[in-house]
mmCIF file of all heavy atoms in Angstrom:
data_model
loop_
_atom_site.group_PDB
_atom_site.id
_atom_site.type_symbol
_atom_site.label_atom_id
_atom_site.label_comp_id
_atom_site.label_asym_id
_atom_site.label_seq_id
_atom_site.Cartn_x
_atom_site.Cartn_y
_atom_site.Cartn_z
ATOM 1 N N PRO A 30 73.529 87.994 63.777
ATOM 2 C CA PRO A 30 72.437 88.937 63.450
ATOM 3 C C PRO A 30 72.036 89.672 64.707
ATOM 4 O O PRO A 30 72.301 89.167 65.776
ATOM 5 C CB PRO A 30 71.442 87.905 62.947
ATOM 6 C CG PRO A 30 71.644 86.762 63.634
ATOM 7 C CD PRO A 30 73.118 86.448 63.831
ATOM 8 N N ALA A 32 69.413 91.328 67.482
ATOM 9 C CA ALA A 32 68.288 90.588 68.291
ATOM 10 C C ALA A 32 66.979 90.302 67.446
ATOM 11 O O ALA A 32 66.731 91.147 66.694
ATOM 12 C CB ALA A 32 68.090 91.390 69.527
ATOM 13 N N ASP A 34 62.920 89.755 66.920
ATOM 14 C CA ASP A 34 61.578 90.190 67.461
ATOM 15 C C ASP A 34 60.598 89.663 66.510
ATOM 16 O O ASP A 34 60.672 89.838 65.284
ATOM 17 C CB ASP A 34 61.551 91.745 67.509
ATOM 18 C CG ASP A 34 60.172 92.296 67.826
ATOM 19 O OD1 ASP A 34 60.035 92.309 69.095
ATOM 20 O OD2 ASP A 34 59.413 92.662 66.984
ATOM 21 N N GLN A 44 58.303 90.781 53.385
ATOM 22 C CA GLN A 44 59.024 91.599 52.438
ATOM 23 C C GLN A 44 59.494 90.907 51.208
ATOM 24 O O GLN A 44 59.791 91.499 50.262
ATOM 25 C CB GLN A 44 60.123 92.242 53.158
ATOM 26 C CG GLN A 44 60.731 93.401 52.558
ATOM 27 C CD GLN A 44 59.802 94.475 51.921
ATOM 28 O OE1 GLN A 44 58.656 94.587 52.448
ATOM 29 N NE2 GLN A 44 60.087 95.148 51.002
ATOM 30 N N ARG A 46 57.622 89.378 49.272
ATOM 31 C CA ARG A 46 56.719 89.501 48.368
ATOM 32 C C ARG A 46 56.650 90.911 47.783
ATOM 33 O O ARG A 46 55.828 91.377 46.954
ATOM 34 C CB ARG A 46 55.205 89.280 48.799
ATOM 35 C CG ARG A 46 55.026 87.870 49.392
ATOM 36 C CD ARG A 46 53.525 87.778 49.731
ATOM 37 N NE ARG A 46 53.063 88.684 50.814
ATOM 38 C CZ ARG A 46 52.097 89.487 50.585
ATOM 39 N NH1 ARG A 46 51.479 89.775 49.416
ATOM 40 N NH2 ARG A 46 51.693 90.227 51.588
ATOM 41 N N SER A 47 57.655 91.766 48.266
ATOM 42 C CA SER A 47 57.649 93.225 47.941
ATOM 43 C C SER A 47 57.434 93.459 46.354
ATOM 44 O O SER A 47 58.060 92.681 45.697
ATOM 45 C CB SER A 47 58.889 93.708 48.464
ATOM 46 O OG SER A 47 58.997 95.192 47.958
ATOM 47 N N ALA A 48 56.675 94.528 46.144
ATOM 48 C CA ALA A 48 56.647 94.969 44.770
ATOM 49 C C ALA A 48 57.372 96.182 44.474
ATOM 50 O O ALA A 48 57.275 96.729 43.528
ATOM 51 C CB ALA A 48 55.109 95.209 44.502
ATOM 52 N N ARG A 51 58.914 97.573 41.245
ATOM 53 C CA ARG A 51 58.095 98.015 40.164
ATOM 54 C C ARG A 51 57.923 99.518 40.232
ATOM 55 O O ARG A 51 57.220 100.159 39.529
ATOM 56 C CB ARG A 51 56.558 97.362 40.205
ATOM 57 C CG ARG A 51 56.583 95.953 39.946
ATOM 58 C CD ARG A 51 55.357 95.339 40.261
ATOM 59 N NE ARG A 51 54.337 95.571 39.355
ATOM 60 C CZ ARG A 51 53.098 95.459 39.604
ATOM 61 N NH1 ARG A 51 52.719 94.771 40.615
ATOM 62 N NH2 ARG A 51 52.061 95.828 38.753
ATOM 63 N N PHE A 53 58.568 103.317 39.706
ATOM 64 C CA PHE A 53 59.160 104.057 38.451
ATOM 65 C C PHE A 53 60.262 104.972 38.952
ATOM 66 O O PHE A 53 60.495 105.034 40.247
ATOM 67 C CB PHE A 53 58.077 104.789 37.862
ATOM 68 C CG PHE A 53 57.463 105.949 38.616
ATOM 69 C CD1 PHE A 53 57.823 107.087 38.661
ATOM 70 C CD2 PHE A 53 56.474 105.513 39.556
ATOM 71 C CE1 PHE A 53 57.312 108.186 39.537
ATOM 72 C CE2 PHE A 53 55.811 106.434 40.416
ATOM 73 C CZ PHE A 53 56.205 107.839 40.378
ATOM 74 N N TYR A 66 57.759 123.301 32.600
ATOM 75 C CA TYR A 66 57.847 124.573 33.235
ATOM 76 C C TYR A 66 58.874 125.575 32.447
ATOM 77 O O TYR A 66 58.636 126.746 32.202
ATOM 78 C CB TYR A 66 58.432 124.575 34.708
ATOM 79 C CG TYR A 66 57.217 124.257 35.573
ATOM 80 C CD1 TYR A 66 55.900 124.074 35.254
ATOM 81 C CD2 TYR A 66 57.578 124.221 37.019
ATOM 82 C CE1 TYR A 66 54.913 123.732 36.223
ATOM 83 C CE2 TYR A 66 56.490 124.011 37.952
ATOM 84 C CZ TYR A 66 55.245 123.605 37.530
ATOM 85 O OH TYR A 66 54.299 123.507 38.485
ATOM 86 N N LYS A 84 59.404 145.571 36.564
ATOM 87 C CA LYS A 84 58.924 145.017 37.869
ATOM 88 C C LYS A 84 60.122 144.249 38.452
ATOM 89 O O LYS A 84 60.375 144.293 39.717
ATOM 90 C CB LYS A 84 57.671 144.204 37.716
ATOM 91 C CG LYS A 84 57.035 143.715 39.074
ATOM 92 C CD LYS A 84 55.899 142.912 38.951
ATOM 93 C CE LYS A 84 55.329 142.529 40.352
ATOM 94 N NZ LYS A 84 54.195 141.546 40.221
ATOM 95 N N ASN A 91 61.986 136.014 33.607
ATOM 96 C CA ASN A 91 61.194 134.848 33.003
ATOM 97 C C ASN A 91 62.027 134.082 32.074
ATOM 98 O O ASN A 91 62.054 132.861 32.022
ATOM 99 C CB ASN A 91 59.991 135.348 32.428
ATOM 100 C CG ASN A 91 58.756 135.435 33.375
ATOM 101 O OD1 ASN A 91 58.642 134.731 34.362
ATOM 102 N ND2 ASN A 91 58.035 136.476 33.254
ATOM 103 N N ILE B 21 50.619 126.910 35.592
ATOM 104 C CA ILE B 21 51.817 126.235 36.210
ATOM 105 C C ILE B 21 51.369 125.504 37.567
ATOM 106 O O ILE B 21 51.940 124.465 37.755
ATOM 107 C CB ILE B 21 52.846 127.462 36.550
ATOM 108 C CG1 ILE B 21 53.470 127.751 35.069
ATOM 109 C CG2 ILE B 21 53.906 127.008 37.489
ATOM 110 C CD1 ILE B 21 54.312 129.034 35.237
ATOM 111 N N ARG B 41 52.664 96.084 47.496
ATOM 112 C CA ARG B 41 51.856 94.826 47.823
ATOM 113 C C ARG B 41 52.011 94.561 49.244
ATOM 114 O O ARG B 41 51.049 93.887 49.705
ATOM 115 C CB ARG B 41 52.644 93.707 46.895
ATOM 116 C CG ARG B 41 51.733 92.455 46.915
ATOM 117 C CD ARG B 41 52.462 91.431 46.058
ATOM 118 N NE ARG B 41 52.575 91.802 44.530
ATOM 119 C CZ ARG B 41 53.768 91.420 43.899
ATOM 120 N NH1 ARG B 41 54.713 90.724 44.576
ATOM 121 N NH2 ARG B 41 53.822 91.709 42.743
ATOM 122 N N VAL B 44 55.238 96.705 54.334
ATOM 123 C CA VAL B 44 56.469 97.491 54.323
ATOM 124 C C VAL B 44 56.676 98.244 52.990
ATOM 125 O O VAL B 44 57.269 99.424 52.957
ATOM 126 C CB VAL B 44 57.731 96.501 54.459
ATOM 127 C CG1 VAL B 44 59.177 97.185 54.384
ATOM 128 C CG2 VAL B 44 57.568 95.861 55.776
ATOM 129 N N ASP B 45 56.131 97.755 51.928
ATOM 130 C CA ASP B 45 56.007 98.635 50.605
ATOM 131 C C ASP B 45 55.286 99.952 50.962
ATOM 132 O O ASP B 45 55.764 101.078 50.489
ATOM 133 C CB ASP B 45 55.346 97.936 49.596
ATOM 134 C CG ASP B 45 56.103 96.716 49.001
ATOM 135 O OD1 ASP B 45 57.332 96.678 49.343
ATOM 136 O OD2 ASP B 45 55.561 95.929 48.310
ATOM 137 N N GLY B 50 59.116 99.729 50.759
ATOM 138 C CA GLY B 50 59.831 98.440 50.592
ATOM 139 C C GLY B 50 61.327 98.447 50.750
ATOM 140 O O GLY B 50 62.153 97.638 50.370
ATOM 141 N N ARG B 122 60.935 100.036 72.076
ATOM 142 C CA ARG B 122 60.348 98.667 72.447
ATOM 143 C C ARG B 122 61.367 97.586 72.515
ATOM 144 O O ARG B 122 61.337 96.879 73.444
ATOM 145 C CB ARG B 122 59.192 98.293 71.443
ATOM 146 C CG ARG B 122 58.488 96.920 71.826
ATOM 147 C CD ARG B 122 57.229 96.677 71.077
ATOM 148 N NE ARG B 122 57.481 96.546 69.522
ATOM 149 C CZ ARG B 122 57.891 95.389 69.074
ATOM 150 N NH1 ARG B 122 58.097 94.430 69.922
ATOM 151 N NH2 ARG B 122 58.047 95.275 67.718
ATOM 152 N N TYR B 189 58.606 110.475 46.830
ATOM 153 C CA TYR B 189 58.840 111.008 45.500
ATOM 154 C C TYR B 189 58.234 112.410 45.294
ATOM 155 O O TYR B 189 58.941 113.316 44.657
ATOM 156 C CB TYR B 189 58.111 110.056 44.506
ATOM 157 C CG TYR B 189 59.005 109.006 44.008
ATOM 158 C CD1 TYR B 189 60.291 108.692 44.585
ATOM 159 C CD2 TYR B 189 58.655 108.143 42.930
ATOM 160 C CE1 TYR B 189 60.969 107.633 44.108
ATOM 161 C CE2 TYR B 189 59.455 107.225 42.377
ATOM 162 C CZ TYR B 189 60.657 106.956 42.969
ATOM 163 O OH TYR B 189 61.472 105.889 42.699
ATOM 164 N N LEU B 338 58.085 139.843 41.455
ATOM 165 C CA LEU B 338 58.001 138.780 40.390
ATOM 166 C C LEU B 338 56.980 139.054 39.441
ATOM 167 O O LEU B 338 55.788 139.243 39.658
ATOM 168 C CB LEU B 338 57.823 137.435 41.014
ATOM 169 C CG LEU B 338 58.897 136.906 41.927
ATOM 170 C CD1 LEU B 338 58.475 135.530 42.531
ATOM 171 C CD2 LEU B 338 60.228 136.863 41.252
ATOM 172 N N ASN B 340 54.409 137.799 36.292
ATOM 173 C CA ASN B 340 53.705 136.631 35.825
ATOM 174 C C ASN B 340 54.638 135.620 35.163
ATOM 175 O O ASN B 340 55.377 136.000 34.392
ATOM 176 C CB ASN B 340 52.415 136.824 34.970
ATOM 177 C CG ASN B 340 51.496 137.642 35.807
ATOM 178 O OD1 ASN B 340 51.164 138.968 35.514
ATOM 179 N ND2 ASN B 340 50.828 137.069 36.853
ATOM 180 N N VAL B 342 57.427 133.454 36.439
ATOM 181 C CA VAL B 342 58.029 133.117 37.649
ATOM 182 C C VAL B 342 57.180 133.366 39.011
ATOM 183 O O VAL B 342 57.414 132.533 39.907
ATOM 184 C CB VAL B 342 59.448 133.771 37.981
ATOM 185 C CG1 VAL B 342 60.433 133.188 36.885
ATOM 186 C CG2 VAL B 342 59.303 135.298 37.778
ATOM 187 N N ARG B 511 71.635 92.917 71.203
ATOM 188 C CA ARG B 511 72.512 92.886 70.075
ATOM 189 C C ARG B 511 71.927 93.722 68.863
ATOM 190 O O ARG B 511 70.813 93.569 68.454
ATOM 191 C CB ARG B 511 72.758 91.462 69.642
ATOM 192 C CG ARG B 511 73.870 91.213 68.617
ATOM 193 C CD ARG B 511 74.060 89.772 68.200
ATOM 194 N NE ARG B 511 74.553 89.068 69.456
ATOM 195 C CZ ARG B 511 73.891 88.067 69.885
ATOM 196 N NH1 ARG B 511 72.886 87.443 69.129
ATOM 197 N NH2 ARG B 511 74.466 87.234 70.978
#
Side-chain angles (χ1 to χ4, degrees):
Chain A
D34 176 80
Q44 194 47 24
R46 298 191 297 124
S47 171
R51 297 168 67 192
F53 60 97
Y66 277 5
K84 186 181 184 188
N91 275 327
Chain B
I21 289 170
R41 198 181 292 140
V44 177
D45 289 345
R122 183 166 64 77
Y189 269 15
L338 296 186
N340 294 111
V342 282
R511 195 177 295 127

